[in-house]
Amino acid sequence: MADKVVLAYSGGLDTSVAVKWLKEKYNLDVIALNVNVGSERDLAAVRQKALDIGAVKALVEDARELFVNYFIFPALQADALYEGQYPLATALARPLMAKLLVGTAIKEGASAVAHGCTGKGNDQVRFDVSVAALAPDLKIIAPAREWGMTREETIKYAQKHNIPIPITVSSPYSIDANLWGRSIECGVLEDPWVEPPADVFSWTRSPVDAPDKPGYVEIGFEQGIPVSLDGKKMDGVSLIQRLNELAGEHGVGRIDHVENRLVGIKSREIYEAPAATVLLQTHQALEAMTLSKEQLRFKQKVAIEYADLIYNGLWFSSLHQDLAAYVESTQSYVTGTVRLKLFKGSCQVVGRKSPKSLYSHGLATYDKGDQFDQSASAGFIHIWGLPLKTQAQVQGVTEPKKTKGKGK
Ligand code: ARG
């Protein structure tokens, strides 16, 4: 009996060809595993296709809830945004897929797992590193990294073996999509000077064609987790789906990013992430109101580290475990509601409230009811400015070169 391999199967060209190739090249029986993280494909058809091509078994796993609760929401609580732009949709799904691949391999007695990543991207790293951490003895095969075929040759191989070629192959783009966003690269997008053509987008309306009237939405958070939309309680998956529609309709969530890949190259990627854009912005607005200045400052540093480790494939690392504990601890009072205005591609926070707000009207107001003791400021400023005054007296006034001698 042939050894078995569990292949992360999307139904696309590369993973379809991989089903045949793994048998031909390594004589492995292929178990195709499709992990549903919200790609919105016809999963029954995907499953059947794997079997038609020759997989001995084809499994579909609905992982949307796992994805939202254990990957997306913790990343949201951390405010993870790679290089300040990319909400990490693709990157977040990989460690989950790796985990399910490993679980299936153990259950099915397979000696290897396989994925369809090329040798140029970040995703191969995320899969390989995650699998190695979870099951060090499992073999990892990356057919598209090994076979050395161009896209044309891959299509020829598919034709030769009667593998149906997906309609998406006629699209010049490489696309990956899940609940947290859609990633689009290749084709004309490889020229960073070229504005993304209209056919790149499918989740967001062009801001030009978006409604002329602004849309408002209220998002309720409990301990940093979004739990309601316009006052209605919603589970995470439905809330994200609904927000993708709502914000997408207003043209919100288009991102054009020249990013630094882990493998040392810069690449230009377009993202559509309406729900992620809205949730990251509203979550931060609520944090601004419920965390102290020092917590906010420190948390911003953690957010950069957190985003980097997700991007770089280090989900199953001790550093992640440590940072996650910190992030969770910061979220105790991040509870409340944020009101957002969506209009022609922009989204703006226009209101926020929280039972644990640190904003005190009595302290902030310039009207009557002011509780701030203004007379105390003089003493505070005296002490605050003391080192500056002393240094200026002893060493002279220091100021940046450019302004020196000006204004006298
Ligand atoms: N650049 C993104 C990342 O590394 C997305 C990669 C997948 N993109 C794609 N169009 N297939 O996470």
Side-chain angles (χ1 to χ4, degrees):
M1 216 174 72
D3 264 359
K4 286 183 267 187
V5 58
V6 183
L7 167 70
Y9 184 69
S10 68
L13 177 67
D14 283 341
T15 52
S16 294
V17 165
V19 174
K20 248 293 134 12
W21 187 88
L22 283 163
K23 187 74 203 170
E24 255 192 8
K25 167 101 190 196
Y26 290 110
N27 189 31
L28 289 167
D29 281 347
V30 176
I31 298 170
L33 172 68
N34 179 278
V35 178
N36 177 13
V37 280
S39 71
E40 287 168 355
R41 293 198 190 208
D42 176 353
L43 298 179
V46 167
R47 194 180 162 273
Q48 191 52 49
K49 186 171 170 185
L51 294 172
D52 291 346
I53 300 169
V56 294
K57 207 180 224 188
L59 307 163
V60 171
E61 188 147 343
D62 185 355
R64 287 174 301 173
E65 258 177 58
L66 278 178
F67 186 42
V68 169
N69 294 329
Y70 297 105
F71 292 79
I72 292 179
F73 283 168
L76 170 65
Q77 289 180 307
D79 299 307
L81 201 57
Y82 183 64
E83 295 184 333
Q85 295 210 60
Y86 166 39
L88 295 158
T90 300
L92 277 165
R94 299 315 186 202
L96 171 57
M97 290 175 177
K99 196 174 159 80
L100 297 175
L101 274 180
V102 167
T104 308
I106 292 169
K107 211 167 104 194
E108 300 284 344
S111 58
V113 294
H115 57 72
C117 305
T118 68
K120 256 184 111 156
N122 299 307
D123 286 331
Q124 51 167 346
V125 182
R126 298 168 184 150
F127 270 116
D128 289 11
V129 166
S130 300
V131 170
L134 295 168
D137 296 329
L138 214 51
K139 219 176 132 207
I140 305 165
I141 309 173
R145 190 167 62 195
E146 269 183 46
W147 63 39
M149 291 191 276
T150 62
R151 196 150 180 84
E152 286 306 306
E153 288 161 354
T154 316
I155 292 173
K156 282 223 178 77
Y157 183 100
Q159 283 164 339
K160 197 176 120 202
H161 292 88
N162 285 324
I163 297 167
I165 295 163
I167 324 162
T168 48
V169 165
S170 61
S171 151
Y173 310 115
S174 157
I175 298 164
D176 178 68
N178 64 48
L179 282 166
W180 204 227
R182 191 167 169 267
S183 314
I184 312 109
E185 58 184 15
C186 300
V188 287
L189 300 175
E190 286 176 358
D191 181 348
W193 181 247
V194 170
E195 180 175 351
D199 66 355
V200 163
F201 302 103
S202 87
W203 287 12
T204 53
R205 217 187 247 264
S206 162
V208 178
D209 305 323
D212 291 325
K213 261 182 64 187
Y216 286 87
V217 58
E218 285 184 18
I219 300 172
F221 286 88
E222 267 167 34
Q223 304 197 323
I225 304 282
V227 292
S228 70
L229 213 157
D230 290 332
K232 214 179 114 216
K233 285 256 179 247
M234 266 174 126
D235 67 273
V237 174
S238 315
L239 187 135
I240 290 172
Q241 279 169 339
R242 181 78 195 105
L243 272 180
N244 273 330
E245 290 164 13
L246 239 149
E249 188 61 25
H250 285 277
V252 166
R254 293 185 171 189
I255 299 157
D256 183 340
H257 187 194
V258 173
E259 71 193 35
N260 290 291
R261 282 194 193 166
L262 182 59
V263 292
I265 58 176
K266 288 190 190 292
S267 75
R268 197 268 193 106
E269 191 109 22
I270 303 298
Y271 299 105
E272 290 190 280
T277 301
V278 161
L279 288 174
L280 283 160
Q281 203 173 328
T282 47
H283 178 255
Q284 279 172 28
L286 196 57
E287 285 189 329
M289 183 171 239
T290 53
L291 299 187
S292 71
K293 177 178 170 183
E294 292 74 20
Q295 282 179 300
L296 283 167
R297 295 287 192 283
F298 191 74
K299 194 162 180 293
Q300 277 171 7
K301 297 185 201 178
V302 172
I304 293 174
E305 297 301 323
Y306 209 106
D308 278 1
L309 77 82
I310 293 171
Y311 190 85
N312 294 336
L314 302 177
W315 185 266
F316 297 105
S317 65
S318 306
L319 175 64
H320 179 204
Q321 194 176 46
D322 298 342
L323 294 184
Y326 169 76
V327 168
E328 200 189 335
S329 158
T330 62
Q331 299 298 292
S332 305
Y333 302 116
V334 186
T335 295
T337 304
V338 180
R339 184 151 41 97
L340 198 72
K341 182 177 178 172
L342 308 165
F343 185 61
K344 291 203 176 285
S346 84
C347 66
Q348 258 181 311
V349 170
V350 292
R352 63 292 259 169
K353 60 181 179 187
S354 165
K356 295 292 181 189
S357 172
L358 301 176
Y359 175 89
S360 158
H361 187 264
L363 290 175
T365 185
Y366 284 95
D367 295 337
K368 68 173 179 318
D370 184 2
Q371 292 157 7
F372 189 95
D373 179 2
Q374 298 199 24
S375 70
S377 287
F380 164 74
I381 294 165
H382 176 72
I383 304 290
W384 172 251
L386 200 54
L388 218 68
K389 192 163 120 189
T390 309
Q391 190 162 28
Q393 280 168 341
V394 177
Q395 300 174 348
V397 179
T398 40
E399 62 180 322
K401 272 205 183 82
K402 281 200 171 150
T403 58
K404 222 166 202 167
K406 304 263 162 66
K408 278 186 188 150

